[in-house]
């Protein structure tokens, strides 16, 4: 009997806005299924979970408040090409406070309802 592979590797990329353009600042590989747990029709947990992961990272590195960042997540399956999971845009807050979610730039499932912003854009992977 074949052994189950419980790994769920993702690449999380942090891009900081400088003079209107976003530049890669850091990337990390995480073995975490949280980006997909609880997915159902009309709800994709990836943007919310990405914000939690980003808040933890910003808390560790201590970024100053008011910086605009994009956080991208890619799924890294063993037997396939990396697939985009989601991309969010956040604004850093004072130390000890969570970031402010500005936009969900990409998600595999359209968000149900309007969470206070019409800034959600959906695009096909690879475009």
């Amino acid at each position: 009997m074949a052994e189950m592979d419980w790994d769920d590797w993702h690449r999380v990329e942090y891009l900081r806005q400088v003079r209107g353009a976003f530049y890669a600042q850091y990337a990390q590989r995480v073995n975490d299924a949280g980006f997909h747990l609880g997915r159902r029709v009309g709800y994709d947990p990836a943007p919310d979970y990405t914000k939690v992961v980003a808040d933890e990272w910003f808390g560790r590195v201590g970024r100053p408040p008011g910086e605009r960042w994009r956080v991208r997540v890619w799924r890294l399956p063993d037997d396939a090409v990396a697939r985009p999971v989601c991309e969010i845009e956040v604004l850093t807050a004072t130390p000890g406070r969570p970031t402010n979610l500005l936009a969900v730039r990409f998600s595999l499932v359209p968000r149900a309802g309007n969470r206070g912003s019409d800034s959600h854009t959906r695009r096909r992977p690879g475009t």
Side-chain angles (χ1 to χ4, degrees), residues 15 18 27 29 43 56 74 76 82-83 114 120 122 124:
L15 299 91
V18 178
R29 276 181 51 135
Y43 175 69
E56 189 272 331
W74 299 82
L76 305 173
R83 291 189 336 253
N114 185 348
H120 173 77
R122 187 161 195 264
R124 293 189 333 258

Side-chain angles (χ1 to χ4, degrees), residues 25-96:
Q25 299 291 304
Y26 182 74
Q28 63 182 353
R29 276 181 51 135
V30 296
N31 187 3
D32 196 332
F35 299 101
H36 308 287
L37 293 177
R39 178 172 286 142
R40 59 189 177 277
V41 174
Y43 175 69
D44 181 3
D48 295 329
Y49 196 75
T50 299
K51 185 179 175 307
V52 169
V53 170
D55 286 342
E56 189 272 331
W57 183 76
F58 287 121
R60 264 190 326 199
V61 299
R63 300 303 309 177
E67 289 183 338
R68 186 179 290 254
W69 290 76
R70 285 194 180 158
V71 183
R72 283 187 195 139
V73 178
W74 299 82
R75 186 147 193 221
L76 305 173
D78 289 337
D79 58 350
V81 177
R83 291 189 336 253
V85 174
C86 77
E87 180 178 307
I88 64 171
E89 197 165 313
V90 297
L91 193 65
T92 56
T94 56

